[in-house]
Amino acid sequence: MPVSRTKRYTIEDIEPAATMLKKGGLVALPTETVYGLAADAENSGAVILLFEIKQRQREQLLSVLVTGMEMVENYCQNIPAAAYALAEKYWPGPLTMILEDKGVVSALVNDGGDTLGVRCPDHPVTMAVIEKSGHALAAPSANITGQPSPKTAQEVLDYFDNHIEGILDGGPCQLGVESTIVDLTGEGPKILREGAIPGQEILAFLEGLG
């Protein structure tokens, strides 16, 4: 039986996991929703591998994981006040915001478009990896496209053992449901995907801002 080349990281292995990402490797990371398959969002070679491993079409846009609005400002521009208000209320947490792209991430992340999805995950281990890597991470769910999203490290390995560089085992994910996506680039906010936070709750919160 061949030895797996997928490195199993523990929650103590923040630095080696971040180093692997900086080298262009793919590392599965836990979030509060599901496990994500992460690549350096500024590294086109790594993002290409991400699409290939997941068997995902290039036109299916990727969102990125960040440590907060300060990092968002590195990647997005013309950020509305609503984004800061939502971040203060729901981040870290299962909310992805669509904002105007600044052109820093690889064009493969958003298919060369002018918007970018950003999320701050509510998982201290993954937050530490992002911070240590210094870049936003493209991190869709760590599954083959069309298959169930993984909630444990073993489920990720069932998909990708021997095909990705590493997995950081942070135990089972708490929610098991993807993030809610809200688009803030139009005339008004628009819910693009219902997830762990009810869309109506987000819209009601924004309406209450006046």
Side-chain angles (χ1 to χ4, degrees):
M1 191 171 174
V3 177
S4 170
R5 74 178 183 91
T6 299
K7 173 77 174 172
R8 272 75 158 188
Y9 297 113
T10 72
I11 57 172
E12 307 298 323
D13 295 325
I14 303 299
E15 191 142 352
T19 298
M20 182 64 75
L21 287 161
K22 285 193 275 191
K23 288 179 177 176
L26 303 184
V27 178
L29 299 171
T31 75
E32 78 281 19
T33 55
V34 297
Y35 271 78
L37 185 57
D40 182 339
E42 297 182 33
N43 185 326
S44 292
V47 176
I48 287 171
L49 282 175
L50 183 57
F51 277 106
E52 289 176 352
I53 289 290
K54 272 186 61 72
Q55 301 173 28
R56 183 181 175 107
Q57 299 299 311
R58 296 275 180 87
E59 59 269 18
Q60 290 181 277
L61 309 188
L62 299 171
S63 59
V64 300
L65 299 181
V66 295
T67 53
M69 289 304 293
E70 190 174 342
M71 185 176 267
V72 169
E73 290 169 356
N74 295 335
Y75 295 97
C76 299
Q77 58 190 359
N78 300 322
I79 302 169
Y84 290 93
L86 283 171
E88 188 172 345
K89 181 170 177 62
Y90 291 108
W91 277 7
L95 176 68
T96 298
M97 297 188 284
I98 307 296
L99 301 170
E100 190 176 317
D101 183 45
K102 207 177 196 177
V104 177
V105 298
S106 164
L108 296 166
V109 169
N110 57 0
D111 200 29
D114 55 8
T115 62
L116 181 66
V118 292
R119 181 167 102 78
C120 178
D122 190 10
H123 199 292
V125 171
T126 292
M127 287 277 276
V129 172
I130 301 167
E131 193 166 331
K132 185 66 74 172
S133 75
H135 288 175
L137 301 178
S141 54
N143 59 320
I144 303 290
T145 298
Q147 298 297 311
S149 297
K151 297 179 282 295
T152 66
Q154 185 56 53
E155 288 173 4
V156 177
L157 289 171
D158 289 344
Y159 287 125
F160 298 127
D161 195 13
N162 225 23
H163 295 283
I164 62 176
E165 279 66 41
I167 177 168
L168 201 158
D169 189 347
C173 299
Q174 296 171 353
L175 297 176
V177 180
E178 272 100 346
S179 64
T180 300
I181 302 177
V182 58
D183 187 345
L184 298 175
T185 62
E187 287 185 15
K190 184 178 181 183
I191 302 298
L192 301 187
R193 180 178 76 188
E194 285 282 350
I197 304 170
Q200 279 305 120
E201 179 184 325
I202 292 165
L203 295 177
F205 170 74
L206 290 174
E207 196 172 319
L209 295 176

